[in-house]
Amino acid sequence: MSALGGRVAVVLLALWFALPLVPLGLWSVADRWPAGAALPTQWGWSGWQQAVAEGGLPALGRSAALGLAVAALATPLGALAGRALAWGRSRWHGVSAALLLLPVALPPFALAMGLDVLLLRLGIPGLVAVVGLLVAYAVPYTTYVLRSAYAVTDPQLEDQARMLGATGTQALRTVTLPVLAPALLAAAALAFLVGWSDYVVTVVIGGGRLVTAPVLVAAGASGLGNEPVVAVLSTLMVVPLVAAVLTAPLVARSLEASRTRR
Amino acid sequence: MPRAPARGGARLLLPAVVVTGAVAGTATVSVLMTAFGLLPLVGAPTPGAAAFVALGGDLLLGLRESLVIATLSTLLAAAVGMATALLLVRSAGVRRRLGALTATVLSVPHLVGAATVGLLLSGGGLLPRWLGVAPTAWPELVGGGWPVAVVLELAWKESAFVALVVTASLSRRLTDLQEVAAVLGADARQRLLRVTVPLAAPALLASAGIAFLYAFGSYEVAWLLGRAYPEPLPVLAQRLFSSIDLAARPQAAAAALVGITVALAVAALAVPLLRRWGVGR
Amino acid sequence: MTSALRLSGLSYRHPDSAQPVLTDVGLDLAEGRMTAVVGPSGSGKSTLLRLVAGLTRPDTGDVRVGDRSVLGLPPERRGMTMMFQKPHLFPHLDVLDNVAFAGRVAGRPRREAREAARRYLTLVHLGELASRRTRALSGGQEQRVALARALAAEPEVLLLDEPFSALDTELRSAMHRLLIEVRAALEPTLLMVTHDMAEAALADEVAVLVEGRLAQVGPVEELYSAPASVAVARVVGGFSEIGGVLTPAGHVSALGTLPCGAATVTPAATLLLRQETVGITHGTDPSATAVGTVVGTTRVGARQVVEVSVSHPRLPTAVVRAEVPLGTATRIGECVGLVVAPDAWCVPAAPAAGLAETADG
């Protein structure tokens, strides 16, 4: 590929990835944007006021809580399974690995319906079912990330710590976990995303009584004339993640630096 | 004697397997029973395939619509994602600029993606405004005769996923193997076709497989951006499931069951293929 | 004899470093011969190979294969190939297709390339592994496949970048035997980089690289008998360095006045004694060259190296190492006599080392 062709390709791909995000930025600060106008005719914050009035902040809080709950459960499960799959060997490994990846193939709407049907009969609170199902969907990702991280970590590192006098727990806490910290963080972030982004599971189980940020976005987007509030809520859903994505390398680097300095 | 921390016994797998197995297993069995009339909301069980018969042609049309959406969006995502990955591994400068963008797109929830693609592609959207096309003259990309916006949204998000997976699989060893290929006489084009592409193939296939399964089972994108009829399986199932008519529940479960079965069949077909290509090393 | 590869005036500096990696390196490789480049780590050995292969561009100098300069050519068109320290087998190809890679990219039909590859695979004694996946190979097998793959490229020059250093001792000597077989069968022109003198001894000629400059080029015997400088002697190893002055009568030091051959005419000169040419006798032996005190002993296999300190009222103390059979009774502090072979060798005193004339033939 010529240098020019490469540059054109980069520009086209940048457009492909960036263009769909542009309407969010514009609509979130548009008070009036009549049909046909290329840019809003009146800029302002009414979308933000409306988003707050419609309960946007508590909804974002519920989404964050859901994401944190999923991350808190799916990360340790994935760490244990990842350690077993990378470092161990037993006749259950093959079938377990397949089972842990299975949720990737199962449509969430279908499983959510299956659980919702059972809620009344089994007396399980809807929130527990929502979190449980989302954890099942997050486990393939956390397991995969941590399995890869364990695979490139030498098990003898822990043995070495034991030979220097550390107990098993100390070896885990002072050697393995710090070494795996970046992977644990990445796995937790992916699991958080599963809870934070979910729409269909929360809507199907319990009939949408849990009003998360995606529920509000969907309600706005499926109607007419809600563009500013949809854009504001969407922006609020995206910005923390983008900030995390963009600062992650910096955080990782400073972690690395502080570790080498010690 | 203090016990060594378990290195990787089956014991450590148990929690994850139990949670996943319990949730997925219970839900699947419950869908199965509901679809065949064994788990009515009220009244006595009426075993049989009545729900499937009642849905009839809608079920097949829905399945076709889901497969079309998943296939087209996956092909597009794989092509764009692979092209992006090849550019990303080629130069650090591209990696800095385009890499952050793909990571951003990856973290956008699909529902938000659907909302913003709607604001971009609908008649009153950004694109017709910027291109100076009147809303009435603009093709019906959103909710029109073809699921254009649905496919584009899924391809947009999943292309970022494909790009990151392929880039990650290549970055470790590509430079070394490229140098070996060069000193063995391979020119730039041969290095691309005989080294880079085959090395990327397992990751490309795996990520495309996951993208296909996601698109096939995705509800919110088709619900927001798709046409009213025929509906893809998830939209059909959810409309029936939330219907006031309680008799529609077995029909919703029937649609869900078809979705589960087809998705598992696709996965079962894909896994041996991927294994042959050496995925999971 | 025509020269297969000729390097002249090669210099290279990393873009973000003040210190050059290589300065004015020139080397001539005759067809079918093997040359080894030795040097301490960081001396620029691997960089030299990358410049030759075309993977890195030199700042100045030229690389000629046969009669033509290949400086403007990309690596794939230089008629050379390289074996790296790691085997770098292509994971998506089986063993035979790895070996057939060069034939395929040269445009040969698959069958033909695979048939040729099979011959090279047999040459490295791995004919039966042709259809294996590369991850099913052991480390030694991987490196043998990499050698077959490089040979199958039928290069005019084969570059070897410490290709056996990651293998254990036994595998390494097996690879050395294989290399001797391959040379007998194919007579390739070889340029190998190594930090191991035993490995360098496989070559017809050895070039010593010190701080990015070639310090000496010659047959390996010459490096042992007449190193050009203290730096070369340190790379070769096994020398005692005795500081002193060169006079018409010989080298004057704490050991006395010793007649010697010299690579120098400067008065300040370092006498280099190979440890295996120095013998030990009892302290009162009249045939002893000098008498000193044992300050240390180290066992090396079936031999031991004894360090003897010889002091002198006016001249600086000399420390001489002698390699003697295990069991030669010595205690630290014991007074012993040293017997030095008459053909000693002098070079310019250590700090002035740097660029002596290369003593090649």
Side-chain angles (χ1 to χ4, degrees), chain A residues 11 44 53 58 68 70 78-79 95 112 117 131 173 176 232 240:
Chain A
V11 170
L68 289 175
V70 173
V95 72
V117 166
V131 172
R173 193 165 44 80
T176 312
V232 166

Side-chain angles (χ1 to χ4, degrees), chain A residues 155-203:
Chain A
Q156 284 199 347
L157 211 58
E158 218 165 76
D159 297 342
Q160 179 66 76
R162 300 297 303 276
M163 296 318 294
L164 294 169
T167 65
T169 329
Q170 278 176 322
L172 187 69
R173 193 165 44 80
T174 59
V175 176
T176 312
L177 290 185
V179 168
L180 290 178
L184 285 166
L185 213 62
L190 286 176
F192 177 84
L193 266 183
V194 169
W196 173 259
S197 316
D198 170 70
Y199 173 65
V200 73
V201 172
T202 11
V203 161

Side-chain angles (χ1 to χ4, degrees), chain A residues 1 6 9-10 13-14 16-24 26-27 33-39 77 80-81 83-85 87-90 92-93 96 99-100 102-111 113-118 121 132-133 135-136 139 155 158-159 162 168 193 196-197 199-200 203-204 214 217-218 221-222 227 230 234 237-238 241-242 245-246, chain B residues 2-10 12-13 15-17 19-21 23-24 26-28 30-31 34 39-41 76 80 83-84 87 90 94 98 100-109 111-112 115-117 119-120 124 126-127 129-130 135 152 155-156 159-160 210 213 216-217 219-220 223-224 233-234 237-238 241 249 252-253 255-256 259-260 263-264 267:
Chain A
M1 212 189 317
V10 170
L13 285 171
W16 161 263
F17 287 119
L19 195 57
L21 293 170
V22 175
L24 292 187
L26 290 176
W27 271 114
W33 195 353
L39 287 175
L77 291 180
L80 291 176
R83 181 183 173 103
L85 291 174
W87 283 6
R89 213 163 287 284
S90 83
W92 300 109
H93 274 47
S96 305
L99 187 65
L100 291 180
L102 199 60
V104 170
L106 296 172
F109 77 91
L111 293 199
M113 283 175 193
L115 284 188
D116 188 60
V117 166
L118 288 180
R121 290 172 190 267
L133 187 51
V135 166
V139 160
E158 218 165 76
D159 297 342
R162 300 297 303 276
L193 266 183
W196 173 259
S197 316
Y199 173 65
V200 73
V203 161
V204 171
V217 173
S222 61
E227 288 90 349
V230 167
S234 296
M237 286 211 72
V238 171
L241 304 179
V242 172
V245 163
L246 296 185
Chain B
R3 286 183 45 160
R7 179 153 288 172
L12 295 183
L13 283 166
V17 168
V19 169
T20 308
V23 173
T26 328
T28 307
S30 148
V31 168
T34 310
L39 214 60
L41 204 57
L76 192 53
V80 176
T84 309
L87 286 171
R90 233 167 47 134
V94 173
L98 215 48
L101 205 50
T102 49
T104 300
V105 171
L106 192 68
S107 68
V108 172
L111 179 70
V112 170
T116 184
V117 165
L119 294 177
L120 183 73
L126 191 69
L127 219 48
R129 287 172 190 269
W130 281 9
L152 284 177
W156 174 62
S159 63
I210 291 172
L213 290 169
F216 180 77
Y219 166 74
E220 57 261 46
W223 170 67
L224 264 182
L233 284 181
Q238 167 61 8
F241 193 76
R249 280 215 160 185
I260 291 176
L264 284 179

Side-chain angles (χ1 to χ4, degrees), chain B residues 149-170:
Chain B
V150 181
V151 167
L152 284 177
E153 197 283 342
L154 290 165
W156 174 62
K157 276 274 298 165
E158 300 303 321
S159 63
F161 173 68
V162 171
L164 287 187
V165 172
V166 172
T167 309
S169 84
L170 281 180

